[in-house]
Amino acid sequence: MIPLWFKLVYLAFLMVLVPVYLAEYGPLNFLWLSNIALLGGCMAAWLESRRLAGMLLVAVAVLEMGWVVDFVLSLVLLGNPPFGTVDYMYDPATPLHVRLLSLYHLPLPFVLIWMVWRLGYDPRVWRNWVPLGLILLLISYVLSTPEDSVNWALGPAGHPQEWVAPELWIGFVMISCVIVWWLTHRLALWGFGRAGRVVQPGHRDAGSETR
């Protein structure tokens, strides 16, 4: 279902990115939902796991499209991101090779859409992802520092917020993410459903995972 060449290229890219990110950002950086989706996407490809691919699609597809839009607009505006989510891509303090690796955000949502297209979309994945995603947000809140607000747990775009109590902020982030995940799920149901790529629970086919 997923070509071998794709799996090998994906794995080779991670073998470069992971040590570079560890050296530059440290292990906490891998709590970002985008990085979790990147690593999990490779696992989903090798296992050809419909459920894992669908969960990661729900987790980040819409959020990553926001990154893509901000980056494309920043190129049009000559290095001035309108939403601030890609400011670090223009920070000279970050080595160029690290910023180039971060361009994985551009293909990631499309790669996940393609994998789910190949494997089929399981409508149950949104319920599988939500509790896991909320746990990851709570862990990000506990472990983040004001300088490194992973998943915006302490403030938007890595900047601490001072508008409300931290507990209210993380509650707002969690509720917002659940809404985005639900909307992503509904869009996936609509889009993949129109193409006949929604797989109902209990269905098995060649190359799909065993439930």
Side-chain angles (χ1 to χ4, degrees):
M1 300 292 285
I2 304 295
L4 179 60
W5 67 263
F6 176 83
K7 299 175 183 177
L8 292 173
V9 170
Y10 202 150
L11 182 60
F13 177 72
L14 289 186
M15 291 176 68
V16 175
L17 178 140
V18 169
V20 170
Y21 266 33
L22 278 173
E24 181 68 23
Y25 298 122
L28 184 62
N29 187 68
F30 288 98
L31 278 177
W32 280 98
L33 296 182
S34 54
N35 286 333
I36 288 173
L38 178 67
L39 297 175
C42 187
M43 183 181 298
W46 278 95
L47 296 176
E48 299 194 347
S49 171
R50 175 183 301 136
R51 186 168 300 177
L52 180 56
M55 288 171 64
L56 297 173
L57 177 77
V58 167
V60 302
V62 170
L63 298 174
E64 285 296 289
M65 287 305 299
W67 194 100
V68 172
V69 169
D70 199 25
F71 183 74
V72 171
L73 290 177
S74 75
L75 297 177
V76 175
L77 298 174
L78 303 178
N80 296 296
F83 307 128
T85 56
V86 300
D87 285 345
Y88 66 95
M89 294 296 289
Y90 297 94
D91 184 0
T94 302
L96 178 61
H97 69 281
V98 177
R99 286 180 278 161
L100 289 175
L101 286 173
S102 294
L103 289 174
Y104 81 80
H105 289 279
L106 291 173
L108 180 60
F110 305 103
V111 165
L112 292 173
I113 291 170
W114 174 76
M115 283 202 297
V116 172
W117 175 272
R118 299 279 297 189
L119 299 170
Y121 183 71
D122 185 339
R124 297 172 298 180
V125 296
W126 117 273
R127 296 197 304 269
N128 298 144
W129 168 254
V130 168
L132 178 59
L134 293 178
I135 290 172
L136 288 170
L137 291 177
L138 287 175
I139 294 174
S140 300
Y141 173 73
V142 172
L143 297 182
S144 288
T145 64
E147 296 76 25
D148 187 11
S149 180
V150 176
N151 294 318
W152 292 17
L154 299 179
H159 301 293
Q161 61 81 30
E162 299 178 349
W163 309 308
V164 297
E167 297 81 5
L168 291 177
W169 175 261
I170 189 60
F172 167 76
V173 170
M174 293 170 72
I175 292 172
S176 299
C177 282
V178 170
I179 293 172
V180 170
W181 295 335
W182 181 81
L183 290 174
T184 306
H185 165 65
R186 298 305 303 178
L187 284 171
L189 275 180
W190 175 78
F192 292 119
R194 286 176 62 88
R197 304 303 298 169
V198 173
V199 180
Q200 295 303 322
H203 175 81
R204 298 172 185 269
D205 55 16
S208 67
E209 64 181 339
T210 300
R211 289 170 179 75

